[in-house]
């Protein structure tokens, strides 16, 4: 393999790793936000009932939290869809992996840590 091709392969691997290290936590954060929002709604409803407050108590806030939770779910779906699109890029450009360490094709690659592309 020529020096130029070796540099290109290393640069592409660095690109994939850098993008994945920024993308994966963002995708996970969107999912966590949706989960936290759903839990918050549940807790608020249960606590309102426990405190024997009327259903309209905090209803406006609950509606806003539900709206935000719905938007977080939509956000997570967007990131999950983007993840699938990003997963196709390495194969199109000669990278020996899928997108991110959590992708099924990468499990063997990450078992012993990242290996440099040579």
């Amino acid at each position: 393999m020529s020096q130029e091709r070796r540099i290109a392969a290393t640069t592409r691997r660095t690109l994939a790793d850098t993008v994945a290290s920024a993308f994966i936590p963002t995708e996970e954060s969107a999912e966590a936000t949706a989960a936290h929002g759903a839990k918050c709604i549940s807790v608020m409803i249960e606590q309102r009932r426990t405190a024997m407050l009327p259903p309209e108590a905090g209803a406006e806030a609950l509606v806003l939290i539900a709206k935000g939770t719905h938007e977080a779910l939509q956000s997570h779906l967007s990131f999950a869809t983007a993840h699938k699109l990003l997963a196709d890029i390495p194969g199109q450009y000669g990278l020996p992996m899928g997108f991110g360490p959590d992708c099924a094709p990468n499990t063997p690659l990450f078992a012993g840590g990242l290996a440099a592309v040579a």
Side-chain angles (χ1 to χ4, degrees):
M1 179 182 284
S2 73
Q3 179 68 15
E4 185 176 294
R5 290 179 75 106
R6 202 169 286 130
I7 291 170
T10 301
T11 302
R12 288 178 179 177
R13 178 55 192 239
T14 299
L15 175 143
D17 291 343
T18 302
V19 170
S21 70
F23 181 85
I24 298 297
T26 306
E27 181 182 28
E28 290 171 348
S29 178
E31 181 179 42
T33 299
H36 289 302
K39 182 176 182 178
C40 180
I41 291 167
S42 174
V43 167
M44 289 177 72
I45 291 171
E46 289 170 3
Q47 290 301 305
R48 181 177 63 191
R49 184 180 55 237
T50 300
M52 294 184 284
L53 293 172
E56 62 273 6
E60 190 174 341
L62 273 168
V63 167
L64 289 172
I65 294 166
K67 181 179 184 253
T69 300
H70 174 74
E71 291 168 356
L73 285 167
Q74 290 297 114
S75 174
H76 181 250
L77 178 59
S78 293
F79 280 102
T81 302
H83 192 133
K84 288 178 183 177
L85 294 172
L86 289 168
D88 292 338
I89 293 172
Q92 294 169 0
Y93 295 97
L95 295 170
M97 59 176 282
F99 185 73
D102 61 335
C103 295
N106 297 325
T107 304
L109 291 173
F110 287 89
L114 294 176
V117 176

